[in-house]
Amino acid sequence: MNTDHLHRLGIPQPCINTAIRESQVAADSGLLRQFDLKKTLRDLVAQPDDFVDDGLFGELARELVDYGGPAEPSRQIEFPVWGAAGIDEAAIGQMRQACTLPVAAAGALMPDAHVGYGLPIGGVLATRNAVVPYAVGVDIACRMKLSVLDMPAWTLTESHKAELYDNALEKGTRFGVGGEYKKPMDHAVMEGEWHCTRITRENKDKAWRQLGTSG
């Protein structure tokens, strides 16, 4: 039973890990033959107080009591589609499916969107407290990026700080094949031994200009 199954049964996200662990313990012990796991979890979500002393799911029950109730049913978040007239309906369907994930926070579909694998090429999916490695289109230059900020989340909405983030993204990054900085970035890697091979020697200046870009 995976995260999505548990969420559909009403297990809230903060309790998912405990639910998976205790379900696995029950399975390993062979006790699952004595009851229907899905029915037990539904009963537990509905009345967690009745299970706080349960030998298998007591910890989960106590977490649910502390949490204050079951999770809201899975629902699809809305997302903008740019250039919808020319986009394959299958790509829109992929994006729609991705936006039903419990961790989905926002999404968007770009004008170049077409069918991918975990996510359509041209699809953008923002998640909350989660990373989805499969949420890429698997096309040329498809990738994931993660920024770790030593700042609380509310600073993203504080106007004077949000402007700093905007400038960092718009002026501090270069995307696409061949992207370069007019003023190269400083980094210790450029002080390494670049003359060890002909390829590194001949491309040192190019690498310096592209250091920090996505290309």
Side-chain angles (χ1 to χ4, degrees):
M1 187 168 292
N2 60 31
T3 297
D4 189 47
H5 293 150
L6 292 169
H7 190 82
R8 290 178 182 177
L9 291 172
I11 306 295
Q13 189 65 34
C15 306
I16 289 291
N17 288 341
T18 301
I20 291 175
R21 184 177 68 255
E22 294 192 337
S23 295
Q24 187 61 53
V25 170
D28 292 343
S29 68
L31 295 175
L32 284 179
R33 300 172 186 172
Q34 301 177 20
F35 58 82
D36 180 348
L37 176 59
K38 289 185 178 180
K39 180 181 183 303
T40 299
L41 289 174
R42 287 195 186 98
D43 292 343
L44 192 154
V45 168
Q47 296 292 336
D49 291 297
D50 295 344
F51 290 83
V52 292
D53 295 321
D54 186 81
L56 289 174
F57 296 102
E59 183 179 350
L60 175 59
R62 291 188 290 274
E63 286 187 6
L64 286 171
V65 170
D66 292 339
Y67 182 80
E72 294 182 4
S74 296
R75 64 182 186 277
Q76 176 190 310
I77 61 172
E78 297 300 322
F79 57 93
V81 180
W82 306 101
I87 295 179
D88 185 352
E89 183 60 35
I92 296 177
Q94 279 190 320
M95 194 68 212
R96 189 177 296 120
Q97 182 179 28
C99 286
T100 63
L101 290 173
V103 296
L109 207 53
M110 301 298 108
D112 66 333
H114 52 287
V115 175
Y117 286 82
L119 202 67
I121 290 91
V124 181
L125 180 68
T127 58
R128 184 178 292 105
N129 297 324
V131 174
V132 186
Y134 193 57
V136 292
V138 194
D139 200 353
I140 298 171
C142 278
R143 67 198 68 204
M144 300 183 69
K145 296 191 73 175
L146 172 67
S147 295
V148 179
L149 305 176
D150 188 17
M151 301 286 284
W154 57 263
T155 61
L156 291 169
T157 58
E158 200 173 65
S159 59
H160 69 285
K161 289 189 174 66
E163 186 176 350
L164 296 177
Y165 293 131
D166 291 343
N167 287 335
L169 287 172
E170 294 175 5
K171 299 179 181 179
T173 56
R174 296 291 184 275
F175 295 99
V177 177
E180 295 182 351
Y181 286 100
K182 292 182 180 180
K183 181 180 179 181
M185 308 286 265
D186 289 327
H187 194 280
V189 70
M190 300 311 302
E191 299 173 6
E193 180 50 66
W194 285 78
H195 295 281
C196 56
T197 69
R198 179 180 62 81
I199 293 177
T200 54
R201 180 174 63 253
E202 293 179 354
N203 288 280
K204 179 180 179 180
D205 288 342
K206 181 179 180 180
W208 193 16
R209 293 191 303 271
Q210 291 190 337
L211 187 65
T213 72
S214 72

